[in-house]
Each structure stands twice: as structure tokens, then as C-alpha cells.
């Protein structure tokens, strides 16, 4: 981790040097940190898993091995003990047979006893007791005890002043019981303070007869302990020797020796687990037990083996923690070694990661220059043959692409500008096609024509035209389908065709029919125009009108009332080649006005897609008191209604108002 | 933009197309594009069910004209069924289709087309 913080500190300094510390990568988000973190976590996990696997397998193996070892040791120990104890019993029987053969001859008997002690290093002392008349009827009582005492022998009779062997517990057990037996360990003056165990054998005059005395042989407890291997105290395998009464003769805890028994220990709550062992010992059979040892807090395996039929028991015990200590040490070393290896690997990775993220940082720096519009700055690392090189080349390519696209955008902007300027010229030309407002005075009356046209785009499809012919003012208002450039072109054609047709026709209906035929010819685009065409006679005020699919005009009377002129319309121009239109007639009085419009007015939509509609149009025409401002009123009302909603269509209003001239009045 | 076009499968030599929403300068292009394969097929009559159509602009009327022209070239017809009053008014003024080919319901339009077909068949029998 120290490596990381150093690295990020170095990065921060580098970033600060570039003046971009504020958006540098935080250390915990850095790819380098993540790479190192995940690699080390993965390696550590692998190390742990591997060590655990080896540990578990080796442990099983070791435990099995130690089990096997302790068993064979137990067999071996039991055999050795049995051999020793067996040799003592054979010696006792030999001694008894010799005594029977010698008969009552104290000197010889003494020699035999001494020879029994002398001949067997396992035997420390020998005793012979013959009751009166034991071997021959006249024999006196004889008792003698010989014990090795250094290089000489200690001897004593077994009945003397103040001591009688008849009073000792072992006498009735041997003679009364009639069976050979091993004593418990004991010590007294006669043993010289050493612990002995004694093999007691009843002596009979004839086989099957009643015991008439006994022989016994003493074995030093130390001798048995040596045989079992008591001296090896730091051995992994602990040894125990149990007397026939299951007293601890040998025990890893020296304090228990000659002082405690397995029975007593198994009665303690902490050692209840030992009960199965006790049962096995009592039943004189092999026993094995694995249990939790409260003394050292580890698992322990103990097994017991009876030593022949001597009543003695050998116990061996091994602690699992002892068996596994070496393994644990090894595992610890493996772990430490592995961690050191991981640390080294991290160091190496840190160096590698620096080589990867370094180029990334310089590429990022280059990208920032793109941001500032510096596209000509050369990119580093493009020649590398690794992933960084790939990325650098991709960057380089993107840079080229961006440059090309920017050039393209610039071109398009220029083209757009050109188009805009062309459209603006087109608009001027289109507006120039429209006639100016005019007033015609004739016979004391003045007919005033005014119009207002607002295209939705630069150019549009709405149009109107006015011209005088034979004391009549002809007018037409039209709306070409759709809007924009196509509509504008069709509008230009329509206005020309209409002016020619109106210049020749007798009635507005004829004018529409002729214009329609011309416009429908070769009209593959299916463009069309709705047109209202009419003329007003200047002297009488009579008007005639015909409609090619156009909105009905309004008639506003001098008294302020207004209504739609309900005239039946024919098909729009451009579709039908032989349409027939009806002419409608009426009369304009001074103060009256005819108002024609396109659907840009009635279909001006507000933000909720509500249309301005005919009723509102009618209302605003009625309310407009100044005939000279009729067009402006209507257009302003439509705009006010639409509010902020964009104008959806071209809108046009044409008003013809008749007034009595002041000259006439005068 | 918000024009919904539903083109039913052809029945005999007649096909029904239902329009809903607004047919204006923003949406006529879409209608032209969708109608092109229908007009290119060998149907003889196209029933435009305008029950759901709320608004039609001159650009939309042009689309209807184009359809009429395409079918008329081979003696077919476009009839309009079920227009809402404001649409009917536009058709009335602009004469996008002959008034006798605007019907209050699709059933009436179908009946009319059936009658036309019978007349044609009889005419052929007469020949």
C-alpha cells in the first residue's frame, strides 16, 4: 500500500505540473491501484488455498502415520515387557522346582535363592517361605529373603522378633488363593526404599496339592520403567505403565506416579473421556481413544495394550499438536515466503503498471489539446506495437476524422450561408411580384386595395395580384399547396398565368378556367393553388367573383356588420383541366369592404393546436372600425391568438374598401 | 409528425387506409411514402378512412390529389369515408375528391364501390 500512496502522490504532482489536478484520477479509482489490488488479492487467495490444501493433506498423512507408529511402538513395548515379566515368572517356577528338589537344606536353599537373584539382572530380590513340614513331614519352618544390595547381598528371615509373614496381606492371598500374582508397587525398609513389584508364586509339595509355602521375586519398578522408555521425556510419544490395580507406575506427569490410578483419574469430570480406556484396561483388551485433552487444549490419541496375562498395562499417548507442530511451522514458512513473493510481484507490477498508465496519461494530455482545438499537435506513442499504440493510432485517426468533419461542417456552413443569401434574394424577388396597395378614384368614388402577406419561411406560396382593366379593378388572392421553395416557384407561375388569363377573360370564372387549364398541364408534382378571383366595377360598385377551392371572402358593411360571402367554389387550379366555375355577383356600397384571406389566418394555431377559425376572423373584422387598417387588424389578431407558437403557414389578407371621395361630397 | 397510418390488407381490388391525427406539411411525406407501394399495386379503388383525422393542410390535400392522379391513370378511384366536419369542409372547398365520392361511413363507401364494380361488370357483359 505504501507503494500505492507514493505512486498516486507522484501522479498528483505530475497532474499539478500540467495544471489539471482538479480532474486527475483519484488514487482509489486508478487502474494501477485496481490492478495491484486485485492481483495481490488473487495471489493471496491462491496462496492461502494452496497452503491449506497441502496442509490438510499432509496433516491427514501425518496423523495416520503417527497412529501407525504409536501402534507399532505399543506392540513392541508390550512384547518387551511381557518378555521381561515372563522371564521372571519362569525364574520363579524354576526356583520353586529347585526348592522342591533340594528339600529342607537351608544352606542350599539360600544358595538357590541367591543364584536366582544373581542370574537375572531383572530380579532384585528373592524370597522363600516354607511352612513347618512343607516338603517332608519333619521339616521345620524356613523363611529367607535375599536382596541385591550394591555388590553384596542383604538377607533376612521373614519371621523374627516383631515381624511375622503370617500377618502380611500377601501371605494369605498367595497361599489361600493358590495362584501366582503380581503385587502392586511398594517400598519399605526391606526394599531399601526402592519401589519394587513382586511376583508371588504358591509352593506345593506335589502338583495339585495344597500350597505349603511360597516363593516370590522382586523386580525394581525402575527396571520396568527403563524397559518402557521412561527416560525419553521429551519424546513426542508419552508412555504410561499401569499396575494390575491400574495405578500409574509410569506417567508423563511425575506427580501422578505411584500416587494416582486410572480409575481415580477417569472419575474426575475433566477426564470422564478416559472411561473407554479404563473399560479396555479392566477387560484386558487393546484400547484406543482419541479425545480432547483439557491439559494442553489439543487432540490427543491414547492407546493401551495389556502386557500378556501379567495384569500390567502399557499405555502410549501422542498429542496431535505435537505431531502437527512441524507441519504448522512449515505452513507458516510457506505463507511468509508466499507473502514475500507477492510483495516482490507487486513491486514488479507497479513498475509494469507505470509503463502502461504513463502513456495513457500522455494520451489524455493530448486529448485535452484536442479539447482546446489544437488538432495539429503530434500524438505520442503511435509507433508502439502494443495496445497503447493501438489506442494512440485510434486517437490519431479520430483526430484526422474530426479535422475532416470540421472542414466539412465549415463547408456546409458556407453552403448554408450561400443558400440563405439566395433565399433572401428570392424573397425580395417574390415580394416584388406583389403589387403595392393602391386607390382608384372614379366617378366620385374611391376604391382602395390594400394587402398584407407574411410568408412562414423565407419564401412562400401565398400571393395576390391587382390590375385595372376597362374601368374595373381585377384582383386575385391565392394559396399554393404547401410552402417553401416549391410553393414559391408554383406561386410565381400561378401569378403570371392568372394575370394573363384575367387580362383576356370576360368573367372571373373564365379567368380561373383558363388559368387552371394552363397550370394543370404537365403538373406531375400535383402542386395546386386555391384562388379567389374577382373584379369590381368602379362606377357602380358591382362585383363578381369566382372561387377555385379558396376560403370564402367576407363582406363588411358600412354599419359595421360583416358576413361571409357564401359562394360555391370549384376545384383548385392545377388539378382539373376542364373545371367549370360559377360567378357570383354583389354590390359594394360606399363604406363597404370586401376582405379576402388565405388559410394562414383561419388556421393560425396556438400552442394547444387550436385554430384561429372563421368565427374569430368575423369578430375581428367587425370590430375593426378603420377600413384603412383592416389587414393590419386581422393579421395582428391572428398573431396575438397564436401567441408564441411558430407561424405554421403563409398568411395573407387582401381588403377592397369603397368610399365616397371628398370631391363628390363637396 | 403525429399522423397514424393504418393500411389494411387489400380486399379484392380495393384497399382501405385509415388515417388519424394531423396530415400537414410535417407528415404528408410519410403518407406519400407509405402509400407508394399501395398505389403501385394493382388495386382499383382506395378507401381513405378519415375518421381519426383531425386536421388536413394543403400539403395533405396534395397527397390525396397525388393518390387520385395515380389511380385515375388506370381508371381507379380514391373515395373518402367518415371525415370529421372540419375535414369535410376542406374537401368541400378544395374539391380534393368529387363530393359524390365523400361518404359518411366506410360501409357507404364500400357499397358505392361495389355498385361501381357491378356497373363495370355489367358494362363488360354488355360488350
Amino acid at each position: 500500500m505504501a507503494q500505492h500512496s507514493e505512486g498516486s502522490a507522484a501522479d498528483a504532482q505530475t497532474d499539478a505540473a500540467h495544471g489539471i489536478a482538479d480532474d486527475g484520477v483519484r488514487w482509489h479509482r486508478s487502474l494501477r491501484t485496481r490492478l495491484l489490488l486485485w492481483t495481490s488479492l488473487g495471489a493471496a487467495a491462491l496462496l492461502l488455498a494452496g497452503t491449506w490444501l497441502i496442509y490438510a493433506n499432509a496433516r491427514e498423512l501425518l496423523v495416520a502415520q503417527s497412529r501407525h507408529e504409536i501402534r507399532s511402538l505399543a506392540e513392541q513395548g508390550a512384547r518387551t515387557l511381557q518378555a521381561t515379566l515372563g522371564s521372571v515368572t519362569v525364574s520363579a517356577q524354576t526356583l520353586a522346582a529347585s526348592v522342591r528338589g533340594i528339600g529342607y537344606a537351608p544352606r542350599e536353599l539360600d544358595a538357590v535363592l541367591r543364584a536366582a537373584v544373581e542370574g537375572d539382572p531383572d530380579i532384585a530380590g528373592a524370597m522363600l517361605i516354607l511352612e513347618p513340614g512343607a516338603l517332608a513331614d519333619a521339616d521345620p519352618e524356613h523363611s529367607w529373603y535375599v536382596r541385591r544390595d550394591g555388590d553384596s547381598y542383604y538377607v533376612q528371615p521373614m519371621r523374627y522378633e516383631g515381624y511375622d509373614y503370617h500377618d502380611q496381606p500377601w501371605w494369605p492371598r498367595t497361599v489361600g488363593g493358590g495362584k501366582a500374582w503380581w503385587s502392586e508397587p511398594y517400598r519399605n525398609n526391606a526394599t531399601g526404599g526402592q519401589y519394587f513389584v513382586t511376583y508371588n508364586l504358591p509352593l506345593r509339595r506335589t502338583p495339585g496339592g495344597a500350597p505349603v509355602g511360597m516363593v516370590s521375586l522382586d523386580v525394581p519398578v525402575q527396571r520396568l520403567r527403563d524397559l518402557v522408555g521412561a527416560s525419553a521425556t521429551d519424546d513426542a510419544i508419552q508412555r504410561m505403565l499401569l499396575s494390575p490395580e491400574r495405578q500409574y507406575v509410569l506417567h508423563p506427569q511425575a506427580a501422578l506416579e505411584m500416587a494416582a490410578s486410572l480409575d481415580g483419574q477417569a472419575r474426575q469430570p475433566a477426564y470422564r473421556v478416559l472411561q473407554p480406556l479404563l473399560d479396555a484396561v479392566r477387560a484386558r483388551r487393546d484400547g484406543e481413544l482419541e479425545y480432547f485433552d483439557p491439559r494442553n487444549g489439543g487432540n490427543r490419541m491414547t492407546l493401551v495394550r495389556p502386557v500378556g496375562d501379567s495384569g500390567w498395562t502399557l499405555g502410549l499417548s501422542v498429542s496431535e499438536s505435537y505431531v502437527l507442530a512441524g507441519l504448522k511451522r512449515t505452513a507458516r514458512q510457506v505463507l511468509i515466503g508466499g507473502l514475500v513473493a507477492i510483495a516482490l510481484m507487486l513491486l514488479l507490477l507497479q513498475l509494469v503498471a507505470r509503463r502502461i498508465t504513463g502513456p495513457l496519461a500522455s494520451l489524455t494530455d493530448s486529448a485535452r489539446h484536442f479539447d482546446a482545438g489544437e488538432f495539429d499537435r503530434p500524438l505520442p506513442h503511435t509507433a508502439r506495437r502494443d495496445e497503447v499504440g493501438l489506442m494512440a493510432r485510434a486517437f490519431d485517426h479520430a483526430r484526422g476524422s474530426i479535422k475532416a468533419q470540421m472542414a466539412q461542417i465549415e463547408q456546409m456552413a458556407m453552403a448554408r450561408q450561400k443558400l440563405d443569401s439566395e433565399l433572401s434574394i428570392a424573397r425580395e424577388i417574390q415580394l416584388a411580384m406583389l403589387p403595392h396597395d393602391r386607390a382608384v378614384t372614379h366617378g366620385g368614388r374611391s376604391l382602395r386595395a390594400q394587402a398584407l402577406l407574411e410568408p412562414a419561411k423565407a419564401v412562400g406560396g401565398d400571393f395576390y395580384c391587382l390590375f385595372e382593366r376597362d374601368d374595373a379593378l381585377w384582383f386575385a388572392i391565392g394559396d399554393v399547396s404547401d410552402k417553401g421553395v416549391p410553393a414559391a416557384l408554383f406561386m410565381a407561375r400561378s401569378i403570371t398565368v392568372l394575370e394573363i388569363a384575367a387580362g383576356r377573360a370576360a368573367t372571373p370564372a373564365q379567368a380561373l378556367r383558363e388559368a387552371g387549364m394552363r397550370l394543370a398541364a404537365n403538373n406531375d408534382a400535383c402542386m395546386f393553388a386555391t384562388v379567389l378571383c374577382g373584379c369590381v366595377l368602379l362606377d357602380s360598385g358591382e362585383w363578381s367573383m369566382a372561387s377555385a377551392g379558396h376560403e370564402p371572402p367576407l363582406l363588411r358593411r358600412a354599419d359595421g356588420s360583416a358576413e361571409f360571402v357564401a359562394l360555391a367554389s370549384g376545384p383548385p387550379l392545377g388539378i382539373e383541366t376542364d373545371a367549370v366555375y360559377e360567378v357570383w355577383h354583389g354590390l359594394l356600397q360606399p363604406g363597404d369592404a370586401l376582405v379576402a384571406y388565405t388559410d394562414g389566418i383561419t388556421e393560425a394555431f396556438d400552442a394547444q393546436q387550436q385554430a384561429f377559425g372563421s368565427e374569430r376572423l368575423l369578430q375581428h373584422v367587425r370590430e375593426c372600425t378603420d377600413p384603412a387598417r383592416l389587414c393590419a387588424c386581422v393579421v395582428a389578431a391572428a398573431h396575438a391568438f397564436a401567441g408564441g407558437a411558430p407561424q405554421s403557414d403563409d398568411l395573407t389578407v387582401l381588403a377592397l374598401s369603397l368610399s365616397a371621395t371628398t370631391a363628390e361630397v363637396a | 409528425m403525429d399522423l397514424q397510418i393504418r393500411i389494411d390488407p387489400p380486399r379484392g381490388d380495393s384497399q382501405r387506409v385509415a388515417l388519424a391525427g394531423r396530415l400537414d406539411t410535417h407528415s404528408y411525406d410519410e403518407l406519400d411514402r407509405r402509400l407508394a407501394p399501395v398505389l403501385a399495386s394493382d388495386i382499383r379503388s382506395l378507401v381513405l378512412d378519415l375518421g381519426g383525422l383531425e386536421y388536413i393542410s394543403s400539403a395533405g390535400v396534395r397527397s390525396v390529389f397525388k393518390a387520385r392522379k395515380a389511380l385515375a391513370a388506370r381508371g381507379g378511384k380514391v373515395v373518402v369515408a367518415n371525415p370529421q366536419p372540419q375535414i369535410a369542409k376542406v374537401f368541400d372547398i378544395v374539391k380534393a375528391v368529387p363530393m359524390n365520392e365523400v361518404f359518411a361511413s366506410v360501409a357507404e363507401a364500400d357499397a358505392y364501390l361495389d355498385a361501381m364494380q357491378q356497373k363495370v361488370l355489367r358494362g363488360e357483359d354488355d360488350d
Side-chain angles (χ1 to χ4, degrees):
Chain A
M1 283 299 135
Q3 289 292 333
H4 297 175
S5 45
E6 269 174 33
S8 56
D11 284 353
Q13 277 170 7
T14 317
D15 289 351
H18 286 286
I20 48 172
D22 52 341
D23 58 356
V25 178
R26 302 281 297 273
W27 70 269
H28 61 275
R29 297 219 178 277
S30 161
L31 284 179
R32 199 191 305 172
T33 311
R34 290 185 189 182
L35 174 70
L36 295 183
L37 182 68
W38 288 112
T39 313
S40 49
L41 279 180
L46 273 179
L47 176 68
L48 278 178
T51 311
W52 182 82
L53 200 68
I54 294 170
Y55 179 84
N57 281 319
R59 178 199 157 107
E60 204 171 322
L61 203 68
L62 272 179
V63 168
Q65 210 170 25
S66 72
R67 210 170 279 174
H68 180 72
E69 193 181 344
I70 194 175
R71 275 182 199 135
S72 62
L73 265 179
E75 301 308 331
Q76 195 185 338
R79 266 201 305 277
T80 312
L81 269 178
Q82 196 181 349
T84 303
L85 296 178
S87 86
V88 171
T89 59
V90 169
S91 295
Q93 280 154 12
T94 312
L95 179 61
S98 306
V99 168
R100 269 197 303 272
I102 291 166
Y104 182 74
R107 237 179 225 290
E108 280 77 8
L109 289 176
D110 188 19
V112 169
L113 272 184
R114 205 172 285 232
V117 175
E118 222 164 14
D120 191 341
D122 291 340
I123 296 169
M127 186 191 75
L128 170 67
I129 295 174
L130 291 172
E131 287 278 272
L135 301 175
D137 293 341
D139 285 352
E141 175 199 301
H142 177 81
S143 73
W144 202 242
Y145 174 67
V146 178
R147 173 165 63 83
R148 192 184 286 118
D149 188 11
D151 291 338
S152 61
Y153 290 91
Y154 164 87
V155 295
Q156 71 165 69
M158 293 309 292
R159 196 166 172 203
Y160 51 89
E161 183 69 38
Y163 182 86
D164 188 344
Y165 62 80
H166 289 104
D167 301 336
Q168 301 301 318
W170 40 266
W171 171 257
R173 179 168 173 187
T174 310
V175 176
K179 277 185 188 167
W181 59 284
W182 282 93
S183 77
E184 290 294 295
Y186 64 94
R187 60 178 174 183
N188 50 33
N189 287 338
T191 66
Q194 284 190 71
Y195 271 107
F196 281 176
V197 292
T198 301
Y199 183 67
N200 300 295
L201 179 71
L203 192 68
R204 291 178 172 84
R205 189 190 283 185
T206 54
V212 292
M214 64 180 281
V215 294
S216 70
L217 295 176
D218 295 340
V219 178
V221 165
Q222 190 56 44
R223 181 75 193 152
L224 296 179
R225 292 157 60 114
D226 291 346
L227 283 175
V228 172
S231 55
T233 46
D234 58 346
D235 199 323
I237 295 169
Q238 298 179 341
R239 291 156 166 85
M240 281 165 290
L241 187 60
L242 274 72
S243 72
E245 297 291 327
R246 296 174 294 282
Q247 193 175 5
Y248 288 129
V249 174
L250 178 65
H251 193 275
Q253 283 174 278
L256 295 181
E257 288 180 359
M258 309 302 176
S261 66
L262 177 59
D263 301 47
Q265 202 179 18
R267 272 197 295 276
Q268 291 175 23
Y271 286 98
R272 286 261 160 79
V273 288
L274 297 180
Q275 188 62 39
L277 279 184
L278 180 59
D279 294 343
V281 175
R282 273 182 176 152
R284 308 298 305 153
R285 55 177 164 80
D286 292 357
E288 278 188 26
L289 180 67
E290 273 181 60
Y291 64 100
F292 181 78
D293 185 359
R295 204 146 38 87
N296 61 2
N299 274 339
R300 174 169 285 280
M301 178 177 157
T302 301
L303 49 78
V304 291
R305 292 283 182 273
V307 181
D309 53 2
S310 65
W312 288 75
T313 305
L314 175 68
L316 290 182
S317 172
V318 66
S319 158
E320 200 170 83
S321 62
Y322 192 93
V323 171
L324 298 179
L327 177 61
K328 279 180 176 159
R329 202 161 46 243
T330 308
R332 206 156 38 234
Q333 281 163 359
V334 168
L335 275 182
I336 290 171
L339 287 177
V340 169
I342 288 176
L344 285 176
M345 182 188 74
L346 286 183
L347 213 60
L348 207 64
L349 266 180
Q350 168 80 1
L351 293 176
V352 174
R354 207 180 275 272
R355 288 181 63 84
I356 294 172
T357 51
L360 287 184
S362 62
L363 281 177
T364 308
D365 193 37
S366 298
R368 288 207 171 86
H369 285 283
F370 291 180
D371 211 12
E374 299 168 32
F375 287 100
D376 294 327
R377 201 182 145 92
L379 264 173
H381 307 302
T382 46
R384 286 173 68 133
R385 306 184 70 172
D386 56 6
E387 287 89 341
V388 171
L390 208 62
M391 184 167 145
R393 286 192 291 281
F395 252 52
D396 209 18
H397 194 255
R399 178 179 66 155
S401 175
I402 291 174
K403 273 169 79 176
Q405 283 181 30
M406 281 178 64
Q408 205 177 350
I409 289 172
E410 206 168 333
Q411 267 185 344
M412 281 164 68
M414 281 169 65
R416 174 68 191 261
Q417 208 173 7
K418 188 157 176 274
L419 191 66
D420 280 351
S421 93
E422 282 177 4
L423 274 177
S424 143
I425 297 168
R427 179 187 172 89
E428 279 176 36
I429 294 171
Q430 189 176 36
L431 291 178
M433 288 181 191
L434 303 174
H436 294 291
D437 292 354
R438 68 177 72 176
V440 188
T441 307
H442 189 273
R445 289 176 174 187
S446 175
L447 183 64
R448 185 189 183 87
Q450 50 175 325
L452 206 58
L453 184 151
E454 290 187 0
K457 296 180 178 175
V459 292
D462 276 13
F463 64 89
Y464 61 89
C465 49
L466 300 166
F467 64 95
E468 293 162 62
R469 202 186 96 196
D470 308 334
D471 294 342
L473 181 69
W474 285 70
F475 66 91
I477 180 170
D479 179 3
V480 176
S481 54
D482 207 3
K483 46 191 180 281
V485 173
L489 286 172
F490 198 77
M491 166 268 188
R493 190 167 166 229
S494 302
I495 208 168
T496 314
V497 167
L498 264 172
E499 277 182 356
I500 293 170
R504 292 200 295 232
T507 65
Q510 273 181 15
L512 286 180
R513 179 177 163 82
E514 191 183 336
M517 277 159 62
R518 282 181 168 278
L519 288 175
N522 300 325
N523 183 16
D524 289 338
C526 276
M527 295 295 285
F528 65 87
T530 66
V531 178
L532 179 72
C533 180
C535 66
V536 182
L537 294 178
L538 294 174
D539 51 2
S540 62
E542 275 179 54
W543 55 258
S544 52
M545 278 192 287
S547 169
H550 201 78
E551 275 72 12
L554 283 159
L555 188 57
R556 186 184 192 281
R557 296 294 179 189
D559 60 6
S561 67
E563 62 193 9
F564 284 102
V565 180
L567 45 80
S569 79
L573 306 187
I575 303 299
E576 311 256 347
T577 47
D578 58 347
V580 177
Y581 300 94
E582 287 180 58
V583 184
W584 295 72
H585 300 277
L587 189 64
L588 272 186
Q589 300 289 348
D592 290 356
L594 264 178
V595 183
Y597 55 91
T598 59
D599 61 4
I601 297 288
T602 47
E603 290 176 7
F605 291 102
D606 65 6
Q608 283 76 46
Q609 298 282 19
Q610 296 285 318
F612 184 69
S614 310
E615 284 310 309
R616 283 193 190 84
L617 173 62
L618 203 56
Q619 185 190 340
H620 282 284
V621 167
R622 280 181 189 136
E623 284 170 3
C624 185
T625 48
D626 180 5
R629 289 187 38 77
L630 255 173
C631 298
C633 271
V634 170
V635 170
H639 282 323
F641 175 79
Q647 184 183 339
S648 60
D649 200 357
D650 309 332
L651 54 83
T652 308
V653 184
L654 170 67
L656 301 172
S657 45
L658 188 68
S659 58
T661 58
T662 44
E664 176 72 9
V665 171
Chain B
M1 279 293 157
D2 31 342
L3 172 74
Q4 291 96 50
I5 303 168
R6 202 190 71 227
I7 299 179
D8 290 351
R11 276 191 333 198
D13 56 2
S14 162
Q15 189 156 19
R16 180 154 62 139
V17 174
L19 303 180
R22 296 172 67 86
L23 177 55
D24 55 18
T25 185
H26 302 295
S27 55
Y28 79 89
D29 225 18
E30 169 75 4
L31 178 63
D32 286 356
R33 204 174 53 74
R34 298 278 303 274
L35 276 184
V38 175
L39 298 175
S41 70
D42 55 357
I43 58 157
R44 291 178 65 86
S45 52
L46 176 68
V47 179
L48 288 177
D49 180 355
L50 304 186
L53 195 67
E54 288 157 10
Y55 173 72
I56 185 165
S57 78
S58 56
V61 170
R62 191 171 142 238
S63 286
V64 177
F65 277 139
K66 278 164 105 170
R68 265 181 73 191
K69 193 164 176 174
L71 281 186
R74 56 171 190 268
K77 273 184 188 306
V78 172
V79 299
V80 168
N82 204 13
Q84 294 182 22
Q86 70 274 23
I87 307 292
K89 191 176 160 199
V90 171
F91 275 74
D92 185 17
I93 296 172
V94 178
K95 306 283 185 291
V97 294
M99 283 316 286
N100 62 347
E101 288 171 8
V102 177
F103 299 94
S105 72
V106 177
E108 275 182 40
D110 287 346
Y112 169 77
L113 287 173
D114 282 350
M116 291 291 297
Q117 201 177 13
Q118 291 301 321
K119 215 162 89 183
V120 170
L121 286 176
R122 272 202 306 279
E124 279 171 1
D125 285 349
D126 291 346
D127 292 343

